[in-house]
Amino acid sequence: MTKRYVLPKLPYSYDALEPTIIEEIMRLHHGKHHQGYVNGANAALDKLAETRETGFSGVDTKGVERDLAFNASGHALHTVFWPNMSPKGGGKPGGSLGDRIDEDFGGFDAFKQQFGAASKTVEGSGWGILAYEPLSDQLITLQAEKHQNLTAQGVTPILVLDVWEHAYYLQYKNDRGSYVDNWWNVVNWDNIEKNLKKFLR
Ligand code: MN
């Protein structure tokens, strides 16, 4: 029996992040886009399971693996993204997260600029990512283009920002910059610190 991907419930209502992100975007984004990644990842797993039974000759394995990478990456990043935000979000991080941001980026304002710049300059569709990088024991920022490319092996995203057009276009049109700037108002730092604490020694 193949293990299944499941769409996680939102930890707040669809309209909870207004006015930063309107209800219509949240409904489509969670209910259609994220559900689509879940369905696509499960379909790829099913196809691979079926192919293991019937044999791999003549099967477009590369295409199925590409589908799995695309959909599983989309599912993983959206699963981090939803609880990264909260109607009670905003402000500045404190505690161990605040300390690590100070240490690794030279202060919160410098981090915010670096993460914002990374998010605003993603080519085409993708994500801004804050990740814990275990080899050097530090936080780093990354861009993900089309989220199945340019991954850094071994990192775990702890804060992600969806900058695909579906995440903001209905409300912000082509002004991704304003979406990124306003998004800080809903960031749930308690959640991100919780993500980080899994790795702190
Ligand atoms: Mn998305």
Side-chain angles (χ1 to χ4, degrees), residues 6 10 37 41 43 51 60 87 113 117-118 168-169 176 181 188 196:
V6 178
L10 278 188
Y37 290 122
T51 308
D60 178 17
Q113 282 195 6
Y168 63 88
Y169 203 85
R176 185 195 288 176
D181 290 340
N188 180 4
L196 173 65

Side-chain angles (χ1 to χ4, degrees), residues 11-129:
Y12 38 74
S13 61
Y14 281 119
D15 64 357
L17 301 182
E18 291 194 343
T20 300
I21 304 176
I22 59 173
E23 177 178 355
E24 191 183 7
I25 286 181
M26 293 299 293
R27 278 191 184 283
L28 289 167
H29 197 177
H30 178 260
K32 300 292 183 191
H33 289 275
H34 190 171
Q35 183 71 63
Y37 290 122
V38 168
N39 295 346
N42 285 330
L45 290 179
D46 288 345
K47 182 70 188 166
L48 289 168
E50 181 193 317
T51 308
R52 286 195 296 273
E53 307 246 316
T54 59
F56 283 80
S57 68
V59 174
D60 178 17
T61 306
K62 200 162 138 185
V64 179
E65 293 291 2
R66 199 178 280 147
D67 281 350
L68 180 60
F70 175 74
N71 288 295
S73 292
H75 173 54
L77 287 165
H78 285 91
T79 299
V80 177
F81 182 55
W82 306 127
N84 274 175
M85 302 182 286
S86 161
K88 294 179 188 143
K92 286 185 178 189
S96 53
L97 175 63
D99 291 345
R100 290 302 290 252
I101 283 177
D102 286 346
E103 194 181 320
D104 294 339
F105 298 100
F108 177 68
D109 289 339
F111 157 72
K112 204 172 153 181
Q113 282 195 6
Q114 183 173 322
F115 186 88
S119 299
K120 291 175 188 180
T121 60
V122 172
E123 274 185 25
S125 299
W127 300 77
I129 294 175

Side-chain angles (χ1 to χ4, degrees), residues 73 129-140 142 149-158 195-196 198-199 201:
S73 292
I129 294 175
L130 170 67
Y132 176 75
E133 202 288 288
L135 293 176
S136 58
D137 180 35
Q138 69 177 329
L139 299 173
I140 59 173
L142 294 167
N149 299 342
L150 301 181
T151 60
Q153 304 299 332
V155 305
T156 301
I158 62 170
N195 291 343
L196 173 65
K198 289 175 199 157
F199 302 101
R201 292 184 269 264

